[in-house]
Amino acid sequence: MCSRKASLIIKNTLTKWRKKPGMTLELEGSKPSVLKFYDHTLLSVSDVFDRQTLGTCKMVRIGNSIVPVETKTMMTYWGNKLKGVRNGMEHVMKIFSSEVQSYKISNDLKPDEIHWLFRWMASRNIAFTDCTLHFGQATMEDLNFFFQNIRFDSRVIILGKPPDGFQMPSTSFLGYPSKSVEVYNGNWLKISDIFSIESHTILLVDTPFSSVDMNGFLKRWKCGKATTRLKVGLFYTKELNLDDVFKDIEKVEVPKETKRTFKLSYDHSLDMEGGYDIKGHDEVIATICDVVIENGIHVLFMAVWPDWSTGEESFDECI
């Protein structure tokens, strides 16, 4: 039971492809939640309906429930939205013989909905691929649970402001290998929070970090005690003074007229002009640049050589 377009996808999908990550849950608060297979909507879940709406629906079994469904749009109607979401996920997972691997969590979810989702995700006991989390109304207890008990191996995007007093747990999924971590509204972060991020690309926006903080980070990176998997980093600091950033760090200035291309993947690359090279653990080289973006904002940019040219795994997720 799914939309006509999605059913054609299922019909023509090889079994081995079905087992690859492709299913996403977009969990909304005020709007219907949506389950997708790549860009194709499988079904939507709503707890808002009236008699006129129900008059156009068919009764369809989803999981162990029989509910009204608009067959053209695959909108399903439930008295309890979370029950609908859970039944819907179990239904599509059975069809595809695969887990829901990607999650988009909106900013208007109620605390009890967030609580339920985090516990359900942890119960699957797998590493998911992607997650976009808006802190929204999440409690401190649930956020601690989220960071400590759920893992992602591809891309994580964190939005919004956490509850006052929230601090990153000392042990979290950020310490497990992943491709990309992006934190916006990052003024709640401490510089020590980023030391253990084991991701190829890191984007941190609106952080409270100073040039002295970044100096401490680079010193730890040089001796292999911070972000050991980092290939590309963009750090929006509250101020940027390169003399303070490189204090007591041996560096080689790259002439401004020197242009280098840092390949992120087969068809993505970055062109860099000038900057400073520093040597890190295991003799790798990082190029550090002060990049000025719109509104005159200075961003510390870091690229760690070798680039993609000598490897197989791309790292262009957040660039």
Side-chain angles (χ1 to χ4, degrees):
M1 191 282 299
C2 53
S3 68
R4 181 176 299 177
K5 190 172 185 179
S7 67
L8 293 175
I9 297 294
I10 296 170
K11 183 177 180 181
N12 294 285
T13 298
L14 295 174
T15 300
K16 64 179 181 180
W17 187 32
R18 292 183 189 179
K19 294 183 179 180
K20 292 185 177 180
M23 289 197 293
T24 299
L25 170 65
E26 297 178 359
L27 190 58
E28 301 281 354
S30 57
K31 299 188 296 184
S33 296
V34 182
L35 280 159
K36 292 183 175 181
F37 182 72
Y38 293 93
D39 293 330
H40 305 282
T41 297
L42 298 173
L43 60 84
S44 301
V45 177
S46 176
D47 59 356
V48 179
F49 52 87
D50 53 38
R51 288 187 177 183
Q52 184 176 358
T53 299
L54 296 182
T56 64
C57 294
K58 291 184 178 181
M59 302 302 293
V60 177
R61 178 178 292 277
I62 299 178
N64 58 4
S65 299
I66 298 176
V67 295
V69 179
E70 291 182 354
T71 54
K72 288 185 177 180
T73 63
M74 295 314 301
M75 180 70 71
T76 66
Y77 297 96
W78 301 75
N80 182 307
K81 183 175 69 175
L82 291 183
K83 181 179 180 181
V85 170
R86 177 164 186 164
N87 278 23
M89 284 196 291
E90 292 175 347
H91 184 71
V92 299
M93 286 192 300
K94 183 177 180 180
I95 292 175
F96 285 87
S97 298
S98 177
E99 292 281 340
V100 176
Q101 289 276 7
S102 179
Y103 292 82
K104 296 181 179 180
I105 304 168
S106 73
N107 66 341
D108 60 347
L109 284 184
K110 298 176 182 177
D112 63 312
E113 295 172 330
I114 298 172
H115 180 88
W116 172 84
L117 178 65
F118 288 175
R119 268 63 183 178
W120 189 89
M121 293 173 69
S123 73
R124 306 310 296 174
N125 197 31
I126 64 169
F128 300 102
T129 54
D130 305 333
C131 182
T132 299
L133 168 68
H134 198 298
F135 283 132
Q137 300 181 53
T139 65
M140 194 175 302
E141 177 187 357
D142 285 331
L143 288 177
N144 279 317
F145 182 90
F146 175 80
F147 279 98
Q148 292 176 313
N149 295 280
I150 304 172
R151 286 180 57 187
F152 305 92
D153 59 18
S154 186
R155 186 179 189 182
V156 176
I157 301 173
I158 300 174
L159 306 165
K161 180 182 178 182
D164 291 341
F166 174 74
Q167 295 183 359
M168 185 78 73
S170 57
T171 302
S172 79
F173 65 79
L174 296 176
Y176 293 96
S178 65
K179 293 182 179 180
S180 172
V181 171
E182 303 169 45
V183 180
Y184 299 84
N185 309 109
N187 52 19
W188 55 277
L189 290 167
K190 303 191 304 294
I191 190 64
S192 58
D193 292 335
I194 73 174
F195 295 162
S196 61
I197 298 179
E198 293 299 335
S199 182
H200 285 320
T201 58
I202 301 174
L203 170 62
L204 305 179
V205 180
D206 294 337
T207 73
F209 305 153
S210 66
S211 299
V212 174
D213 289 330
M214 298 311 298
N215 173 261
F217 163 70
L218 291 179
K219 287 178 177 177
R220 290 183 67 91
W221 175 84
K222 279 177 59 63
C223 60
K225 294 182 178 180
T227 60
T228 58
R229 286 170 51 87
L230 181 65
K231 300 302 292 185
V232 178
L234 291 95
F235 307 96
Y236 289 58
T237 58
K238 68 178 182 180
E239 53 87 19
L240 195 58
N241 182 309
L242 292 184
D243 290 335
D244 290 335
V245 169
F246 291 114
K247 184 177 180 181
D248 300 324
I249 294 177
E250 185 177 347
K251 64 185 185 299
V252 176
E253 184 172 4
V254 180
K256 291 183 179 180
E257 60 271 17
T258 300
K259 295 183 179 181
R260 291 181 288 180
T261 298
F262 187 92
K263 290 188 69 65
L264 300 162
S265 63
Y266 176 77
D267 55 356
H268 289 87
S269 61
L270 293 172
D271 293 326
M272 298 185 297
E273 298 179 2
Y276 298 85
D277 285 350
I278 64 173
K279 185 177 294 186
H281 186 60
D282 291 338
E283 302 300 309
V284 297
I285 300 295
T287 298
I288 314 293
C289 301
D290 175 5
V291 179
V292 182
I293 60 174
E294 57 186 29
N295 299 324
I297 297 175
H298 288 254
V299 179
L300 190 71
F301 172 79
M302 181 175 180
V304 181
W305 306 87
D307 61 5
W308 178 85
S309 300
T310 59
E312 296 181 355
E313 187 174 11
S314 64
F315 33 85
D316 60 350
E317 282 77 12
C318 73
I319 307 301

